[in-house]
Amino acid sequence: MDNDVQQGFETLAIHAGQEADPTTGAVVPPIYQVSTYKQDGIGGLRGGYEYSRSANPTRTALETCLAQIEGGSRGLAFASGLAAEDTLLRTVLRPGDHVVIPNDAYGGTYRLFAKVAEPWGVTFDPVPLGDIEAVRAAVRPETRLVWVETPTNPLLGIADIAALAGVAHDAGALLAVDNTFASPYLQQPLALGADVVIHSTTKYIGGHSDVVGGALIVADADLGERLTFHQNAMGAVAGPFDAWLTLRGIKTLAVRMDRHCANAEAIVTMLSRRPEVTQVLYPGLPGHPGHDVAAKQMKAFGGMVSFRMASEEAAVRVCERTELFTLGESLGGVESLIEHPGRMTHASATGSPLEVPADLVRLSVGIEDVGDLLRDLERALG
């Protein structure tokens, strides 16, 4: 294949970092379930491998693929999304530094800042990232990082990545974008000016609810080297079987996302007509405050849908009554999930500026028959 030809996303997802095994011709990279490697003399590393915390061929295949599908120079795979986030924070921040975060960030991210980074000496301010001037006003001389989720979890807010990159870079800060909800197929933050892309690969990238993982992808090679040093020094790396499962998931990411998006749009149309639903949160709706930005920077609007009911009790009742939508945390798998964020994924934000509405329901719309999904929700709504 001509390496000078620009390859499409689907091609990269299937082939990047995944050359046939030179020994057997196997078209799928092997699972190198190994901890150490024979060296060709003292200090003579065969292929650069010495110990699987530092590098493993299966993980290398995944990291190469992640870098290429996000358009980055370096990809790094971790044991979880939060392990990736923690490694990024400890690489680019020091006590006394300041971070701007979304005012509706994922609960685990908020917990990491509030319970781990803040006691270490890092301060942060939650800001509505859809308001560029509010972000600009929150930036201080000691701001080193602007942290973005778009769409956000669980309120599906939208942030203008290119505009925020300008604000961050004008202040001498980095822009990090959690791209988990969109996936690399729908959104390319590095091309829009971001410095770091973050993923919980557990979600859409893995796609099958069978593996936990995280990733960082960077544009700048020097930052990539710094992150690689910390990845090895801190050690929260993806194991070889986890890397293999995640790489398998990437192969079908594009076709899965097309179905996730189509199913979500049909569900949004139905929910918007239901009198029991007081508000539908989805960036594909023309009335969504971030719709125009999302249309500009996303290929489609994603498979996540949130909606509000008349009360907390009504929201909980819907979550308890679905059958095809499984009550559970996480998202992005082929099966549809439903949850109550206030009591489940975002319970750690209770009492904080990031507390989510008690009447909120979050859906991760899977790839099942859309008619079956619609009937299940309609029954649950009563």
Side-chain angles (χ1 to χ4, degrees), residues 322-347:
T322 58
E323 296 177 2
L324 196 53
F325 277 84
T326 301
L327 180 64
E329 299 189 1
S330 197
L331 57 103
V334 292
E335 65 288 309
S336 294
L337 300 178
I338 189 169
E339 67 127 355
H340 184 266
R343 297 188 184 184
M344 296 172 67
T345 53
H346 289 68

Side-chain angles (χ1 to χ4, degrees), residues 73-138:
S73 68
R74 191 72 168 263
L76 302 169
F78 295 85
S80 70
L82 282 169
E85 293 187 12
D86 184 46
T87 300
L88 173 61
L89 296 187
R90 289 200 268 175
T91 300
V92 304
L93 300 177
R94 296 293 180 269
D97 289 344
H98 172 258
V99 183
V100 175
I101 71 168
N103 67 340
D104 59 341
Y106 164 55
T109 298
Y110 172 76
R111 182 178 59 228
L112 179 64
F113 277 101
K115 304 299 184 182
V116 179
E118 194 167 50
W120 181 47
V122 172
T123 59
F124 66 96
D125 282 312
V127 178
L129 297 188
D131 185 341
I132 299 299
E133 292 311 311
V135 176
R136 199 185 309 276

Side-chain angles (χ1 to χ4, degrees), residues 52-258:
S52 278
R53 184 189 69 247
S54 304
N56 173 283
T58 314
R59 196 174 89 225
T60 297
L62 171 60
E63 293 177 334
T64 301
C65 188
L66 286 167
Q68 293 204 33
I69 63 174
E70 278 285 9
S73 68
R74 191 72 168 263
L76 302 169
F78 295 85
S80 70
L82 282 169
E85 293 187 12
D86 184 46
T87 300
L88 173 61
L89 296 187
R90 289 200 268 175
T91 300
V92 304
L93 300 177
R94 296 293 180 269
D97 289 344
H98 172 258
V99 183
V100 175
I101 71 168
N103 67 340
D104 59 341
Y106 164 55
T109 298
Y110 172 76
R111 182 178 59 228
L112 179 64
F113 277 101
K115 304 299 184 182
V116 179
E118 194 167 50
W120 181 47
V122 172
T123 59
F124 66 96
D125 282 312
V127 178
L129 297 188
D131 185 341
I132 299 299
E133 292 311 311
V135 176
R136 199 185 309 276
V139 170
R140 310 175 188 171
E142 61 269 24
T143 301
R144 297 290 174 267
L145 186 63
V146 176
W147 188 282
V148 175
E149 288 180 21
T150 184
T152 58
N153 180 7
L155 298 179
L156 297 169
I158 297 296
D160 188 325
I161 296 171
L164 289 171
V167 172
H169 296 158
D170 286 348
L174 297 174
L175 184 75
V177 177
D178 185 336
N179 202 27
T180 298
F181 266 31
S183 85
Y185 179 63
L186 299 184
Q187 185 168 265
Q188 298 272 300
L190 296 179
L192 296 169
D195 300 288
V196 186
V197 172
I198 306 143
H199 282 283
S200 171
T201 57
T202 311
K203 312 304 193 299
Y204 285 109
I205 286 178
H208 293 77
S209 301
D210 56 8
V211 60
V212 174
L216 299 174
I217 303 97
V218 298
D220 180 70
D222 290 340
L223 178 57
E225 287 296 329
R226 292 169 59 202
L227 288 166
T228 300
F229 173 85
H230 282 79
Q231 179 194 40
N232 180 52
M234 294 162 65
V237 297
F241 186 45
D242 290 351
W244 186 89
L245 284 170
T246 305
L247 196 58
R248 181 204 60 180
I250 291 175
K251 291 175 185 290
T252 60
L253 177 60
V255 291
R256 285 187 288 106
M257 291 308 300
D258 285 340

